[in-house]
Amino acid sequence: MAQLNDWPWRYWARLRPADTALTVGQEAVSWRQLRQRIDALAASFQRQGVTPGYGVVLCGKNDYPLLLAYLALLQCGARLLPLNPALPLRTREALLPALDIRFAVAPDGTPAEIGGLSVLDADAAGGGEPLDIGWQPQRLATLTLTSGSSGLPKAAAHSCAGHLASAEGVLQLMAFQPGDSWLLSLPLYHVSGQGIIWRWLAAGAQLVVRAGMPLAQALAGCSHASLVPTQLWRLLSQPQASLALKEVLLGGAMIPVSLTEQAEAKGIRCWCGYGLTEFASTVCAKRADAQPGVGLPLAGREIRLVDEEIWIRAASMALGYWRDGRLQPIGDAQGWFHSRDRGVMAQGELRIIGRLDNLFFSGGEGVQPEDVERVLAAHPQISQVFVVPVDDAEFGQRPAAVIEGDGALSLEALLLWAQDRLANFQRPVALWHLPEQLKSGGIKIARRQVQEWASRQW
Ligand code: 4YB
């Protein structure tokens, strides 16, 4: 990997100015052009008052203007918070005051009400050179909100060095060369999207930005993509999808072996990753095989299992959670982050069992919802499933299943199919189809919302 001694886009613009840095829609943008666009925008942001260390919210669809603003704000030394435009106003209002934010940038004008912040003009004609604050990879650069299962999201603070350390580990596993192109297939407000950006910048390869296009179409000509399992299921179900796609990095949720087998049969090389916001994306990964694990820690990461809880330490670890103007440590005294994920080592690799917080008891038996989900997810009519507890007078709680997939599947049929695969206490007592209203928002469906919804149906 390149030994960067400048902002990566300036480094590549110097080394290979005419090479394609990215494709926007169908149009190629060279590193020289990219650098010029970023310089102009950074100069404009500086004129509008952006100063190193200032908090700036970045909000909008995952398009080229958003990417330019992300890179230009980094170059201004801002403390950059990419925000999901679908985040409810209430959450945003509860969250932002503790994060010390001065400005907002919303290149496509969404959303109108950014909570009383002054909105910077992202179209402002540049002109002039930006003030050079210098490439200091160790300083705090981004705040990324966690999708915590309870309470308000936390803002994990990363430096550029942390993002690059994350990229480096992945690039030691997966080949990503200058001729290759990675689709920006996940949002920048999530680490999985930022992970794509930093691998691109670290490798000096190509990025493809195609917002608002169906995935199968957006993938045209791309060699790489990062997908959550449901995206890949949907893609495989479209028979016409002619794919140049060579490599897919999967992550964010349990990755069924049946999914990677189907994809590999279509010539897509799959990589199974386990990543977290606190670690700027991927921690463990492997080339998909017949085992349901996520491989071993990538270079620069260490894991420990303590009472089946996964503890992690890595160069890509967040500097802390940003709150009330300072960093709160995220590790213990030895620097270990306690993930609340349950895992075991099996056949020489890490296997994720589920979230410790998801465990519930039914008639005295512990139900780890993900154990049941793994079984049910193998049903051919199910593409995604959540098992959540519903109250029960006799058992305390019992499992219920909320599925995405074939609308005709009944509980009776499912139970019959799963007969030998589930213990009695694991057997769902109800089956519902995931309602549309729970599908909006981030890249993941919030289990807590599914559970609340299921309780209301029960
Ligand atoms: C898992 C899990 C797994 C995470 N099995 N539970 O670049 C990447 O690595 C990438 C590529 C494609 C899609 C996503 C990614 C990510 O970064 C995902 C990172 C992420 O999901 N971060 S998160 O903070 O939103 O959630 C972390 C939690 O997600 C973990 O603590 C686990 O509970 C869960 N998770 N990978 C099972 N393979």
Side-chain angles (χ1 to χ4, degrees):
M1 210 173 79
Q3 220 29 54
L4 297 169
N5 52 10
D6 197 352
W7 298 99
W9 45 94
R10 295 166 69 118
Y11 176 86
W12 296 116
R14 207 172 314 117
L15 209 67
R16 304 199 266 101
D19 283 8
T20 297
L22 73 158
T23 304
V24 181
Q26 301 301 329
E27 193 189 326
V29 178
S30 69
W31 287 106
R32 185 198 292 114
Q33 290 168 317
L34 179 65
R35 183 209 154 138
Q36 285 166 349
R37 294 290 300 268
I38 295 171
D39 274 352
L41 193 55
S44 159
F45 286 151
Q46 287 171 343
R47 274 204 312 275
Q48 296 175 71
V50 177
T51 301
Y54 275 20
V56 182
V57 154
L58 178 63
C59 192
K61 55 175 181 293
N62 224 28
D63 58 8
Y64 185 39
L66 194 82
L67 172 72
L68 281 174
Y70 179 92
L71 300 173
L73 286 166
L74 287 177
Q75 196 176 292
C76 292
R79 184 164 35 79
L80 170 55
L81 171 65
L83 202 65
N84 178 357
L87 204 67
L89 186 59
R90 212 155 25 96
T91 314
R92 211 178 304 154
E93 281 172 351
L95 204 64
L96 292 185
L99 298 180
D100 184 21
I101 303 294
R102 299 237 185 179
F103 294 116
V105 176
D108 53 358
T110 55
E113 65 303 271
I114 212 115
L117 296 171
S118 18
V119 179
L120 300 177
D121 186 355
D123 289 326
E129 281 289 303
L131 218 64
D132 188 2
I133 68 144
W135 163 244
Q136 298 167 48
Q138 305 295 341
R139 56 180 293 161
L140 197 170
T142 63
L143 301 180
T144 309
L145 296 180
T146 60
S147 44
S149 53
S150 57
L152 275 182
K154 298 191 202 88
H158 288 284
S159 62
C160 293
H163 283 294
L164 286 168
S166 167
E168 200 169 342
V170 177
L171 294 178
Q172 285 186 23
L173 181 74
M174 292 174 76
F176 183 48
Q177 314 287 352
D180 294 332
S181 51
W182 205 306
L183 178 68
L184 185 58
S185 44
L186 286 162
L188 274 185
Y189 61 75
H190 193 260
V191 272
S192 54
Q194 293 182 61
I196 299 171
I197 299 300
W198 289 96
R199 282 169 219 135
W200 160 61
L201 293 173
Q206 299 178 30
L207 183 73
V208 177
V209 184
R210 289 187 182 132
M213 212 187 266
L215 183 59
Q217 229 171 301
L219 280 168
C222 299
S223 59
H224 290 62
S226 300
L227 302 177
V228 291
T230 45
Q231 285 175 302
L232 184 56
W233 276 126
R234 229 168 282 149
L235 198 63
L236 292 177
S237 71
Q238 300 167 7
Q240 80 286 8
S242 75
L243 296 173
L245 190 61
K246 286 192 302 200
E247 321 263 345
V248 168
L249 177 59
L250 292 162
M254 190 234 321
I255 304 159
V257 172
S258 55
L259 172 63
T260 54
E261 277 174 352
Q262 282 185 36
E264 294 264 349
K266 293 199 170 177
I268 304 170
R269 289 157 59 92
C270 295
W271 302 81
C272 303
Y274 162 64
L276 301 87
T277 305
E278 285 82 353
F279 291 85
S281 76
T282 335
V283 171
C284 296
K286 67 158 185 186
R287 178 72 197 283
D289 55 22
Q291 307 302 324
V294 291
L296 290 169
L298 300 173
R301 289 79 156 158
E302 307 171 74
I303 60 166
R304 258 184 85 181
L305 291 175
V306 181
D307 296 332
E308 291 198 343
E309 183 180 13
I310 303 170
W311 291 14
I312 312 169
R313 206 156 63 168
S316 57
M317 184 154 148
L319 304 169
Y321 294 125
W322 180 263
R323 205 185 148 78
D324 298 329
R326 59 185 197 90
L327 289 167
Q328 300 178 329
I330 71 165
D332 65 16
Q334 279 72 47
W336 291 101
F337 176 75
H338 303 190
S339 72
R340 304 296 294 154
D341 284 325
R342 210 178 134 197
V344 292
M345 290 304 287
Q347 290 165 301
E349 62 169 339
L350 179 67
R351 199 175 283 184
I352 314 293
I353 308 283
R355 295 285 302 167
L356 284 162
D357 315 281
N358 292 345
L359 184 76
F360 66 90
F361 287 85
S362 183
E365 302 274 5
V367 180
Q368 182 75 52
E370 293 92 336
D371 286 339
V372 186
E373 290 166 4
R374 257 186 294 278
V375 171
L376 301 183
H379 190 285
Q381 284 164 285
I382 292 181
S383 63
Q384 180 163 219
V385 50
F386 291 93
V387 169
V388 292
V390 289
D391 290 339
D392 182 276
E394 190 184 345
F395 292 84
Q397 294 191 305
R398 297 193 79 177
V402 182
I403 67 164
E404 225 185 332
D406 190 330
L409 182 62
S410 70
L411 178 62
E412 293 67 34
L414 182 61
L415 287 177
L416 196 63
W417 175 87
Q419 207 161 23
D420 309 325
R421 301 175 173 92
L422 293 177
N424 265 331
F425 64 89
Q426 292 179 311
R427 246 180 257 285
V429 292
L431 174 76
W432 296 291
H433 288 266
L434 193 68
E436 280 302 318
Q437 82 252 25
L438 293 180
K439 293 181 196 171
S440 59
I443 71 161
K444 296 187 199 184
I445 291 168
R447 182 181 292 273
R448 195 160 41 108
Q449 284 177 18
V450 177
Q451 183 176 338
E452 283 163 9
W453 178 84
S455 306
R456 289 198 297 275
Q457 313 306 307
W458 184 232

